[in-house]
Amino acid sequence: MINKNSKIFVAGHKGLVGSAIIRKLISQGYKNILFEKRKHLDLTNQSQVLNYIKKKKPEFIFIAAAKVGGILSNYKYKADYIYDNLMIQTNIINSAYKIGIKKLIFLGSSCVYPKNCKQPIKESYLLDGKLEETNDAYAIAKIAGIKMCQSYNDQFGTKYLCLMPTNTFGPNDNYDVLNSHFVPSLIKKIYEIKIKSKKSIKIWGDGSPRREIIYVDDIADACIYFMKKNVRENLINIGTGRDKTIKQYTDLFIKTLCPNLKINIKFDKKKPNGVLRKVLDVSLAKKYGWKSKCDIKSSIIHTYENYSNLLK
Ligand SMILES: NC(=O)c1ccc[n+]([C@@H]2O[C@H](COP(=O)([O-])OP(=O)(O)OC[C@H]3O[C@@H](n4cnc5c(N)ncnc54)[C@H](OP(=O)(O)O)[C@@H]3O)[C@@H](O)[C@H]2O)c1
């Protein structure tokens, strides 16, 4: 069982989720946290990963390292997405097994589920239909990670657990134009409105698709919670279980971040909408006593402040 002195390796410590896990571990009093600069430890390199894990001997691992990006990047660089993700997760999971680590958390993503699956999405829908073509290479890599954890659990009796977060946002997100997800690109557009005194904002699609979003501190909380928890299943969805339209999110972000400005929302209907609805069924996480706690408005404000501080 993990305790405040356990040796814990966080892979991907500089990323959105990894950095939140580190903040949460420190705030909860965990004292023995391992992380390594990418220039000293390339997680796609099998021998480097095995040597590092053999030398440092962590007792628990959070795998928050991955190649992650938005639709365009996923579509354009499929080879990078499948190679990097397969290598990172395979190297870490197998090295963990080799030194006898019984419990790790592997982070997947809601895009592992079939494109047209029923909503809200239950864990049991995995491999029940065709994937979204734009990010199928990424999704297949993540599914391989889930199956790898499951297979090691079945064959070797490990307790490797896969958490599937919904769209996540927060400090240290990726704001690259081609690479970013819906929330960081909205934050960036609102920042530009404020700085350049613009009067309108342009959103991809017609604003009608429904999405679920979650603040990264909730994801970090779930990761630590489930690292401590004994669960029978191998795969657990992590989300709020609530969705809104893209238009409603845009209104909410504008109202929260610039309540005194009158902003006209324009929709770029030539851009794709994507699937009409994507929301996770989070009843399994709830059954184990976990639910999201972060307040949406303060999460938006905190994320915005973090972004604007990056630009100072
Ligand atoms: N963001 C979301 O909305 C979301 C939603 C659902 C699930 N997830 C999952 O959560 C996990 C973390 O996502 P994230 O959003 O935190 O991604 P992120 O911000 O891009 O962070 C990923 C981290 O992995 C590191 N990394 C990548 N390749 C590496 C390599 N070869 N060697 C060493 N480090 C490497 C990156 O290092 P650099 O900083 O050097 O690039 C980065 O720190 C992923 O598995 C993702 O699928 C994310």
Side-chain angles (χ1 to χ4, degrees):
M1 176 77 161
I2 191 167
N3 64 53
K4 304 281 152 118
N5 295 311
S6 301
K7 212 184 230 192
I8 304 164
F9 174 40
V10 181
H13 66 285
K14 287 194 81 171
L16 170 67
V17 177
S19 61
I21 294 174
I22 301 242
R23 285 196 304 276
K24 183 78 72 183
L25 285 169
I26 291 172
S27 77
Q28 292 185 358
Y30 289 86
K31 298 181 187 75
N32 208 347
I33 307 167
L34 295 171
F35 48 85
E36 194 56 71
K37 283 188 178 145
R38 187 170 175 168
K39 66 176 178 194
H40 299 140
L41 177 62
D42 174 3
L43 295 168
T44 62
N45 184 310
Q46 189 178 24
S47 55
Q48 277 188 24
V49 175
L50 183 58
N51 289 339
Y52 178 83
I53 289 181
K54 270 186 172 165
K55 187 170 157 211
K56 299 287 182 177
K57 297 188 177 50
E59 297 159 87
F60 298 89
I61 301 183
F62 293 97
I63 310 180
K67 181 164 178 62
V68 180
I71 301 177
L72 275 181
S73 164
N74 260 282
Y75 185 66
K76 219 172 153 193
Y77 304 109
K78 285 191 178 202
D80 293 343
Y81 277 88
I82 198 158
Y83 178 81
D84 283 19
N85 287 307
L86 281 173
M87 294 303 284
I88 291 170
Q89 66 207 32
T90 303
N91 291 340
I92 300 176
I93 294 167
N94 193 53
S95 303
Y97 161 68
K98 281 197 166 163
I99 71 151
I101 294 178
K102 284 272 176 274
K103 181 98 188 241
L104 64 73
I105 300 275
F106 170 63
L107 284 154
S109 152
S110 56
C111 71
V112 297
Y113 293 112
K115 182 181 182 178
N116 295 316
C117 66
K118 271 195 298 185
Q119 304 288 326
I121 307 172
K122 290 183 190 297
E123 290 85 352
S124 58
Y125 299 167
L126 188 75
L127 292 173
D128 222 11
K130 280 196 172 173
L131 297 166
E132 160 66 40
E133 297 79 7
T134 50
N135 60 10
D136 55 0
Y138 175 72
I140 291 275
K142 288 288 176 188
I143 294 170
I146 296 168
K147 284 293 153 192
M148 188 163 173
C149 289
Q150 201 173 34
S151 307
Y152 278 52
N153 293 347
D154 289 348
Q155 190 176 335
F156 303 128
T158 49
K159 300 258 180 218
Y160 297 167
L161 178 64
C162 308
L163 298 183
M164 296 301 113
T166 192
N167 287 307
T168 305
F169 73 99
N172 301 327
D173 211 335
N174 184 344
Y175 292 94
D176 182 84
V177 181
L178 289 181
N179 232 350
S180 67
H181 290 113
F182 148 66
V183 174
S185 76
L186 190 53
I187 293 269
K188 195 173 172 167
K189 284 174 188 170
I190 293 178
Y191 179 82
E192 276 166 21
I193 282 179
K194 287 176 100 168
I195 294 296
K196 297 179 184 162
S197 305
K198 287 186 179 174
K199 298 270 177 287
S200 68
I201 186 167
K202 204 180 224 180
I203 303 295
W204 273 33
D206 67 6
S208 69
R210 301 188 70 85
R211 295 288 181 270
E212 176 189 17
I213 63 173
I214 192 167
Y215 190 53
V216 73
D217 284 10
D218 267 336
I219 298 296
D221 185 63
C223 287
I224 299 169
Y225 183 88
F226 281 105
M227 187 64 104
K228 292 188 216 157
K229 198 98 188 153
N230 256 331
V231 298
R232 279 198 12 247
E233 295 78 359
N234 159 255
L235 180 64
I236 302 182
N237 288 339
I238 304 294
T240 63
R242 297 182 298 274
D243 59 344
K244 291 183 195 295
T245 65
I246 300 283
K247 161 131 186 19
Q248 285 170 330
Y249 282 122
T250 310
D251 284 335
L252 173 67
F253 275 64
I254 291 174
K255 261 194 204 125
T256 308
L257 296 173
C258 26
N260 301 322
L261 296 183
K262 196 161 166 36
I263 310 292
N264 183 17
I265 305 175
K266 292 182 178 165
F267 295 99
D268 184 353
K269 293 183 183 167
K270 286 192 188 124
K271 293 284 191 316
N273 264 338
V275 288
L276 280 185
R277 189 173 183 223
K278 207 167 168 197
V279 59
L280 294 176
D281 182 318
V282 291
S283 49
L284 183 57
K286 279 191 180 156
K287 191 186 99 182
Y288 283 112
W290 187 87
K291 64 176 176 16
S292 89
K293 297 177 220 31
C294 293
D295 169 66
I296 184 78
K297 285 195 176 166
S298 46
S299 305
I300 293 170
I301 292 169
H302 201 73
T303 305
Y304 183 84
E305 284 170 355
N306 176 267
Y307 176 67
S308 45
N309 284 337
L310 287 178
L311 303 177
K312 275 179 191 160

